[in-house]
Amino acid sequence: MPTSSIDELIERDGGGGAGYHGPFGNGDDWSGNPGIPQRTYVTGMILAVGGILMFFMALVSAWVVRRGFPNSDWQPIALPRILWLNTVILVASSFTLARSRHSLIAGRDTDSRHWWGVTTILGALFLVGQLLAWRQMFAAGLFLATNPSSSFFYVFTAAHGLHVLGGIAALLLVAWHSPRRLTRETATHVVALYWHFLSALWLIIFALFLLEA
Amino acid sequence: MSSVASRFKSRGTASPAFLLAVFLVILVAATVYVFVARLYPAPPPISRDAVLVDRQYDLTLWVAGAAFVLAQLGLAWAVFRYRDCGQQASHIRGNVALEILWTFVTLLAFVGLGILGRNAWAGARFTPSAPDAIQIEVTTNQFVYTFRYPGPDGKFGRLDPSLVSAPTGNPLGIDANDPAGKDDIVVSELTVPVNRPVELLLRSQDVVHNFFVRELRLQQDAVPGMLIPVNFTAERIGTYEIVCTQLCGLGHYKMNGLLHVVPQSDYAAFLKREALVQ
Amino acid sequence: MSSNPQVADSVTHAPNSLLRRYVFSTDHKIIGLQYFFLALAAVTIGVILSLLMRFHLVWPAAHLPFIAGGIMTPEQYLALVTMHGTIMVFFVLTTAPQSAFGNYFLPLQIGAPDMAFPRLNMFSFWLTFLAFVVMLSAFFVPGGAPISGWTAYPPLSGLGEVTGPGEGIGQSLWVASILIFCVASLLGSINFLSTTIDMRAPGMTLTRMPLTVWAWFVTAILSLLAFSVLFAGGILLVLDRVAATSFFLPAGLVVSGEVQTHGGGSPLLWQHLFWFFGHPEVYIAILPGMGVVSHILANFSRKPVFGYRAMAFALCAIGFLGFLVWGHHMFVSGMNPYSGLTFSLLTVSIGVPSAVKTFNWLGTLWGGKIQFHSPMLFAIGFVSFFVTGGLSGIFLAQPAIDTELHATYYVVGHFHIVMGVAAIFGIFAATYYWFPKMFGRRMNESLGKFHFWLTFAGVYCIFMPMHFVGIAGGIRRYADATGATYLAALQPLHQFMTIAAFVTAAAQLIFFYNFFRSLKKGEAASANPWNATTLEWITASPPPSDNFGGRFPRVHRGPYEYSVPGATQDFLPQHLAPEALGSANKEPNNAN
């Protein structure tokens, strides 16, 4: 019976006992490293989305409060018309991205790459459209500090746009570079999560703008 | 005792335990003494609302004080009684009944205090000002208090920020074209009559300041862009200091004023006197 | 090189160059140490700033050789106040308990080879380091460091130099640093949460996680949700300062005779955004310490944590409620008084899980076999300070009483006892406890005890009197007592506190000496010098680069199986299979 020290107990058990079947590897792979499970990347992206959402919710609450001041100098702004087109483009890009992932899962690689490319182009078009929206605002004399409503417009669109830019970078990165740690499935899943979140977020922001216009 | 355990039995286990226990007892004794002996008390309250605040404070002191004494002494007892003297520790994992009990008791105690504290707060903040309250506007800026009385017409004159000019005698920016402002009295010290409700209208010209009178147990930030009313009825004649508690710049520590609570006749005389000077 | 494409290269073999190994390392242990030393540098600076403050409060006219003009000006005092608070809250209390010890020990305690995203982890550290450099640079720019406090309320912080010295470039650098820090924290919390969710060793269910892991987990959730909001507020503040927007700046401002052109914003909006972050932030500062204390109390009482599930639940409750109480910083702010009452009731409620934790700590000690090693002393000290600081909070939680105590030294005493002492004791406890594991050497036990006694007595002497100063009406952030006349009577208390501060600060030199000397000359440490049960103690001191030397543990029992009846020794490590212990050993049936 063990009266030995704990270090000896560790030594005896160190070989591993029954090989373990865990989520990280099969029972034979004792000397191997469990590594990072693929689903971890998905968890990470969900968490990142949570953090980003919280950031935008802070802006939304600031917007709600600011609008609601009594004797407020709030002047609703006329929305640039191109925003409607941009919205359609961004939502479409979510569909094309979903199409791309679906093709990948079905094994149709070329199709997948094709739709992935379309998504990237649509994303870029969205950003171009947002910049055009800004130009329309400038033309109407509405700049960042013109009035509170215009301030929020620029803050929301800039913050969202920067995140979309990051999304486009991710789309390009996945297209050009084979990730070492992530499988292609995981990489596309993660990018899709991010991208769909940005589409949904834009719909919320756009709805806010429409509400007060 | 196995070799493993003997390697780690600390020498003189009695002494840290004893020291800790003694220290905690001294802590409790010293703290209780300072409170009971009222060595550094707040100044006596001069209004009914202030008295309510003090009552709530005392109640909280009893509850928190009892918890403090029991917890620190309990800690002292536990570390002393259960110091390693070669005994076996008991493998207790918990006690559900105890958990429920102390959760419930603390919930009752803390939430009870919170609910009981409502009255002191409500009295000062939820009650609108009395219809015959004397309105005085308090303007704060870096780093002075300026007080404005509406004068016999009972109306404050319009203010215009672009007219603000302390050097030429218009620190508040009163619009000379507004007839209501002609009889406004602007002074640098606050004078109020005793036993009369007063409504202060706090405002700020630049950054966030604060108006605090200890004896009234009354404190309120003055926020630029807002006009914030606070009410009090001072019941003791005297002069009390007003201090700014909200960090407002380099002169924050020097921003203070005076509140004079005077008999009604003195107050009437003050108004008359100032009306001539303005 | 592993053939498994899922395996990160950095954990299969240690990188070779000095730069890759110790500077740009992706090893969570090195990153944890980097955060630790960053926090150590920050706390040294923070303490020096506070000593200058305490000195000035008592000898305001004293001639100081390193100040231009010799005598400290009020704005210099306020710059010290601002930077002391900011550095301590962000670069010490948010960094050491979570980023330093969490990074080092989370993967070890859950039996993982590293964090989920090692390169992101490295990036988080260097961003934090950058934020620190940017923050410190505020001291050296024209106008100096900002004077608006760590809370940076606009309009004082929103209008630039016109409101005061340091409000120009200094304040801008401050905001930039905070924004960078926010991003670093967000990335760090993603790492912590992903790792805890997906990389626990087989057999480590939620109820077998050490309470340290629970604490880091809840803290990371708070970080993820709170720093995002601070980031938003910071962006809006930057825009007000440089782009002439008016999120926080109302119309009609006249500053030093100059009419400002902003319009319609609200200073209260900043306060809401800031404190929505600010209150969870203080729980971010204390929760890891609570986890460490539970862990250490069990280890050195040789007993399980009393009420493990209640403790885990209380951590979650504190975390959740922590998001609902921010208004208690704003009772006199001009906020709706009815909201004040709501916030008050929520705030007193948070006292309940806190009290439950305290009772459970006492319960852990009760019936124990207490060994007073240095980590245990600091853990016990933590309990004492948490009781004191927590109870003083009950007064502030009630708006009627807060009306009397808001912005007085009472508040300063309260938050220093919970943050500046209890949380720091948590850091000390963790340092003494895990030093052997991190560095393979023991710290000197006598010096550790000496450090403890001086510090325990010293900090009570510094911070208890602050409560009395506050009750008597002593106002915080005052450069000296030459304003209101009643302040002079409080000077004797200030003198006492200043002397205590200098003595206690000097006592920390004992810790520094002990720490750095032991790095080189400490007695060699075995794998498990404290006879502890959790997974970090089954590997070498210090651990190899892949944490467990090529094999990874499986967990068979809860984290605090001390003094199990019938066992041959008074602790059962989590990873030992029941067979390995022999049939003579009986274990409790429940797996936690």
Side-chain angles (χ1 to χ4, degrees):
Chain A
M1 287 296 95
T3 51
S4 49
S5 72
I6 193 58
D7 300 314
E8 287 166 42
L9 280 172
I10 290 172
E11 282 313 302
R12 201 176 305 152
D13 184 67
Y20 75 87
H21 299 265
F24 305 150
N26 55 40
D28 304 331
D29 191 29
W30 257 120
S31 58
N33 190 303
I36 302 161
Q38 290 299 298
R39 68 161 188 280
T40 314
Y41 297 97
V42 176
T43 307
M45 180 50 73
I46 293 174
L47 293 164
V49 161
I52 298 169
L53 183 64
M54 204 63 193
F55 165 75
F56 280 95
M57 288 302 107
L59 291 179
V60 169
S61 61
W63 181 88
V64 168
V65 166
R66 183 67 180 77
R67 253 187 95 212
F69 286 153
N71 311 314
S72 170
D73 56 345
W74 188 270
Q75 290 163 306
I77 54 171
L79 288 179
R81 303 279 300 266
I82 199 173
L83 285 185
W84 288 97
L85 179 62
N86 296 346
T87 305
V88 168
I89 290 174
L90 191 62
V91 172
S93 72
S94 266
F95 279 100
T96 55
L97 183 59
R99 190 83 193 263
S100 172
R101 277 196 70 214
H102 193 250
S103 302
L104 182 71
I105 293 165
R108 296 194 303 276
D109 236 28
T110 331
D111 270 359
S112 175
R113 287 182 196 283
H114 165 73
W115 287 110
W116 192 265
V118 172
T119 306
T120 314
I121 291 168
L122 286 177
L125 276 178
F126 172 80
L127 281 185
V128 169
Q130 295 291 80
L131 287 172
L132 287 175
W134 280 23
R135 279 187 68 183
Q136 290 181 350
M137 290 278 287
F138 296 156
L142 293 168
F143 300 89
L144 178 59
T146 308
N147 67 50
S149 183
S150 71
S151 299
F152 273 102
F153 176 86
Y154 284 105
V155 169
F156 272 116
T157 50
H160 179 262
L162 281 170
H163 284 89
V164 170
L165 191 64
I168 293 175
L171 285 166
L172 289 171
L173 192 72
V174 169
W176 287 104
H177 170 75
S178 318
R180 269 187 305 163
R181 289 168 187 74
L182 292 84
T183 61
R184 190 152 210 97
E185 286 77 14
T186 306
T188 55
H189 188 180
V190 158
V191 172
L193 263 170
Y194 182 69
W195 194 263
H196 294 320
F197 162 69
L198 288 180
S199 293
L201 182 63
W202 173 251
L203 289 175
I204 296 174
I205 294 171
F206 192 46
L208 280 178
F209 289 161
L210 288 175
L211 246 170
E212 61 106 352
Chain B
M1 228 187 299
S2 76
S3 61
V4 166
S6 65
R7 241 191 284 154
F8 298 107
K9 180 173 157 63
S10 63
R11 257 172 256 161
T13 18
S15 100
F18 183 66
L19 261 177
L20 261 175
V22 163
F23 192 90
L24 289 169
V25 168
I26 293 174
L27 168 72
V28 168
T31 309
V32 169
Y33 172 68
V34 175
F35 274 104
V36 165
R38 305 182 70 80
L39 291 182
Y40 301 98
I46 65 169
S47 74
R48 223 154 283 192
D49 286 338
V51 169
L52 286 179
V53 168
D54 280 6
R55 282 208 198 123
Q56 186 62 20
Y57 172 90
D58 287 341
L59 176 64
T60 307
L61 188 60
W62 276 109
V63 175
F68 174 78
V69 169
L70 289 172
Q72 302 284 7
L73 293 182
L75 183 64
W77 172 245
V79 303
F80 185 72
R81 167 74 178 81
Y82 295 105
R83 65 195 189 281
D84 185 359
C85 296
Q87 78 272 25
Q88 168 94 345
S90 348
H91 186 81
I92 312 166
R93 309 176 77 81
N95 183 320
V96 177
L98 216 50
E99 296 283 2
I100 295 174
L101 178 67
W102 57 46
T103 303
F104 197 62
V105 168
T106 42
L107 188 68
L108 223 63
F110 291 163
V111 175
L113 269 177
I115 292 174
L116 287 172
R118 181 202 171 278
N119 291 335
W121 181 244
R125 301 294 182 140
F126 295 173
T127 341
S129 61
D132 64 335
I134 297 167
Q135 274 197 335
I136 306 169
E137 184 197 73
V138 180
T139 299
T140 56
N141 64 18
Q142 290 178 324
F143 300 97
V144 294
Y145 292 95
T146 309
F147 305 97
R148 180 162 74 139
Y149 296 74
D153 68 349
K155 292 213 252 293
F156 290 105
R158 202 181 77 83
L159 296 174
D160 187 338
S162 59
L163 298 175
V164 167
S165 172
T168 58
N170 193 0
L172 301 180
I174 300 176
D175 184 357
N177 295 326
D178 184 359
K182 294 239 185 297
D183 63 351
D184 287 358
I185 295 169
V186 178
V187 287
S188 59
E189 292 181 5
L190 180 60
T191 303
V192 301
V194 71
N195 295 323
R196 288 279 306 281
V198 173
E199 184 186 45
L200 297 179
L201 300 166
L202 298 179
R203 56 184 290 274
S204 169
Q205 282 184 338
D206 44 33
V207 301
V208 183
H209 295 273
N210 181 290
F211 176 94
F212 178 36
V213 176
R214 299 178 303 154
E215 290 82 352
L216 290 173
R217 308 288 190 263
L218 179 65
Q219 192 182 160
Q220 174 58 50
D221 281 356
V223 182
M226 294 172 78
L227 190 67
I228 301 173
V230 287
N231 294 287
F232 68 91
T233 303
E235 297 182 2
R236 193 181 305 183
I237 290 166
T239 296
Y240 310 100
E241 292 189 276
I242 305 165
V243 289
C244 176
T245 70
Q246 178 54 45
L247 177 53
C248 53
L250 64 89
H252 174 53
Y253 72 110
K254 276 237 187 274
M255 182 165 172
N256 51 73
L258 290 174
L259 165 65
H260 303 287
V261 181
V262 298
Q264 178 63 42
S265 51
D266 286 15
Y267 178 66
F270 154 77
L271 286 178
K272 224 195 250 163
R273 194 171 58 240
E274 288 301 330
L276 295 171
V277 168
Q278 302 288 308
Chain C
M1 190 68 181
S2 167
S3 57
N4 183 345
Q6 299 178 202
V7 170
D9 288 339
S10 63
V11 296
T12 47
H13 61 87
N16 291 323
S17 77
L18 216 66
L19 212 65
R20 272 336 246 10
R21 258 169 66 175
Y22 295 116
V23 180
F24 296 108
S25 169
T26 56
D27 182 340
H28 69 98
K29 301 184 288 298
I30 302 293
I31 294 171
L33 288 177
Q34 289 174 319
Y35 275 112
F36 180 81
F37 287 109
L38 178 70
L40 203 60
V43 78
T44 307
I45 295 172
V47 167
I48 291 172
L49 297 179
S50 70
L51 289 177
L52 287 170
M53 285 160 61
R54 283 248 51 99
F55 182 88
H56 179 79
L57 285 173
V58 170
W59 296 293
H63 195 95
L64 293 164
F66 45 84
I67 292 186
I71 299 180
M72 193 190 297
T73 60
E75 55 269 30
Q76 284 169 333
Y77 178 81
L78 290 176
L80 291 174
V81 167
T82 304
M83 298 298 274
H84 165 80
T86 308
I87 290 173
M88 291 302 213
V89 170
F90 289 99
F91 297 100
V92 180
L93 295 175
T94 311
T95 299
Q98 181 81 351
S99 307
F101 291 110
N103 259 309
Y104 201 109
F105 287 100
L106 173 64
L108 285 168
Q109 288 194 332
I110 63 172
D114 202 315
M115 287 290 218
F117 311 117
R119 287 183 308 176
L120 194 69
N121 208 12
M122 175 179 75
F123 184 56
S124 297
F125 170 73
W126 286 107
L127 272 185
T128 308
F129 183 81
L130 176 66
F132 189 51
V133 169
V134 171
M135 180 60 69
L136 291 178
S137 70
F139 276 119
F140 301 105
V141 296
I147 61 171
S148 54
W150 87 284
T151 46
Y153 281 9
L156 183 61
S157 65
L159 288 169
E161 195 83 33
V162 65
T163 57
E167 287 305 311
I169 309 176
Q171 185 75 68
S172 295
L173 287 170
W174 185 95
V175 183
S177 167
I178 295 299
L179 290 174
I180 298 169
F181 189 93
C182 285
V183 176
S185 282
L186 288 168
L187 297 177
S189 54
I190 291 171
N191 236 326
F192 271 68
L193 293 169
S194 305
T195 308
T196 312
I197 292 169
D198 284 319
M199 291 178 66
R200 278 173 281 135
M204 182 163 280
T205 57
L206 287 179
T207 51
R208 287 178 177 173
M209 297 195 319
L211 284 170
T212 37
V213 175
W214 272 104
W216 289 320
F217 184 71
V218 176
T219 302
I221 296 175
L222 297 187
S223 284
L224 183 71
L225 301 177
F227 277 101
S228 318
V229 176
L230 179 64
F231 191 81
I235 296 285
L236 299 184
L237 185 62
V238 167
L239 291 176
D240 273 4
R241 287 175 57 81
V242 308
T245 52
S246 301
F247 294 105
F248 308 125
L249 303 170
L253 293 177
V254 183
V255 185
S256 300
E258 272 176 50
V259 179
Q260 304 295 312
T261 51
H262 294 272
S266 167
L268 251 56
L269 179 58
W270 164 265
Q271 292 182 37
H272 280 295
L273 288 170
F274 180 84
W275 286 116
F276 187 86
F277 148 78
H279 198 82
E281 165 64 12
V282 311
Y283 291 113
I284 290 169
I286 196 83
L287 250 43
M290 290 177 162
V292 163
V293 164
S294 298
H295 197 82
I296 291 176
L297 286 182
N299 195 156
F300 294 96
S301 303
R302 313 310 289 163
K303 282 183 67 212
V305 171
F306 189 93
Y308 169 91
R309 280 181 199 257
M311 289 298 242
F313 188 70
L315 284 170
C316 297
I318 293 171
F320 173 71
L321 287 172
F323 273 104
L324 304 179
V325 301
W326 81 90
H328 68 234
H329 300 271
M330 294 172 63
F331 286 139
V332 300
S333 65
M335 178 177 74
N336 184 327
Y338 290 93
S339 311
L341 206 57
T342 314
F343 279 117
S344 170
L345 289 169
L346 287 162
T347 306
V348 292
S349 305
I350 218 176
V352 177
S354 309
V356 166
K357 291 194 82 70
T358 308
F359 293 132
N360 281 307
W361 286 322
L362 291 175
T364 305
L365 292 167
W366 214 267
K369 181 189 165 76
I370 302 173
Q371 298 158 348
F372 293 92
H373 301 282
S374 305
M376 183 57 160
L377 290 171
F378 279 97
I380 293 170
F382 178 101
V383 177
S384 174
F385 288 115
F386 185 69
V387 166
T388 308
L391 288 172
S392 68
I394 301 288
F395 292 81
L396 298 171
Q398 301 173 65
I401 303 179
D402 185 65
T403 305
E404 183 188 358
L405 299 176
H406 173 77
T408 64
Y409 264 92
Y410 186 95
V411 178
V412 181
H414 164 72
F415 69 67
H416 273 95
I417 291 203
V418 272
M419 293 206 299
V421 183
I424 295 286
F425 267 54
I427 296 170
F428 278 135
T431 306
Y432 282 101
Y433 184 64
W434 278 318
F435 187 97
K437 180 56 55 180
M438 294 192 286
F439 303 113
R441 294 184 177 277
R442 307 286 298 266
M443 286 180 79
N444 181 292
E445 192 39 44
S446 307
L447 288 178
K449 291 193 159 78
F450 192 34
H451 171 227
F452 167 76
W453 289 113
L454 284 177
T455 309
F456 190 46
V459 291
Y460 262 125
C461 289
I462 302 170
F463 297 112
M464 279 309 251
M466 281 193 188
H467 299 86
F468 307 125
V469 171
I471 292 166
I475 309 299
R476 66 183 294 200
R477 293 166 166 172
Y478 270 15
D480 64 40
T482 59
T485 61
Y486 72 82
L487 295 170
L490 303 170
Q491 279 302 97
L493 280 173
H494 275 295
Q495 284 158 359
F496 178 78
M497 292 192 283
T498 294
I499 295 172
F502 274 89
V503 170
T504 312
Q508 306 317 302
L509 294 172
I510 301 171
F511 170 77
F512 274 87
Y513 172 75
N514 192 359
F515 185 91
F516 286 103
R517 186 176 183 279
S518 304
L519 282 180
K520 289 281 172 207
K521 297 223 166 79
E523 182 197 321
S526 63
N528 192 359
W530 309 122
N531 282 350
T533 52
T534 45
L535 295 180
E536 75 268 34
W537 301 106
I538 73 175
T539 185
S541 299
S545 67
D546 72 344
N547 287 351
F548 296 97
R551 57 189 184 171
F552 287 84
R554 183 186 184 83
V555 170
H556 293 277
R557 64 187 59 76
Y560 299 115
E561 296 305 322
Y562 292 101
S563 301
V564 176
T568 39
Q569 68 230 350
D570 72 346
F571 69 106
L572 295 180
Q574 284 193 276
H575 76 302
L576 288 187
E579 310 85 70
L581 298 171
S583 56
N585 291 302
K586 301 234 186 305
E587 286 195 66
N589 282 332
N590 43 338
N592 65 322

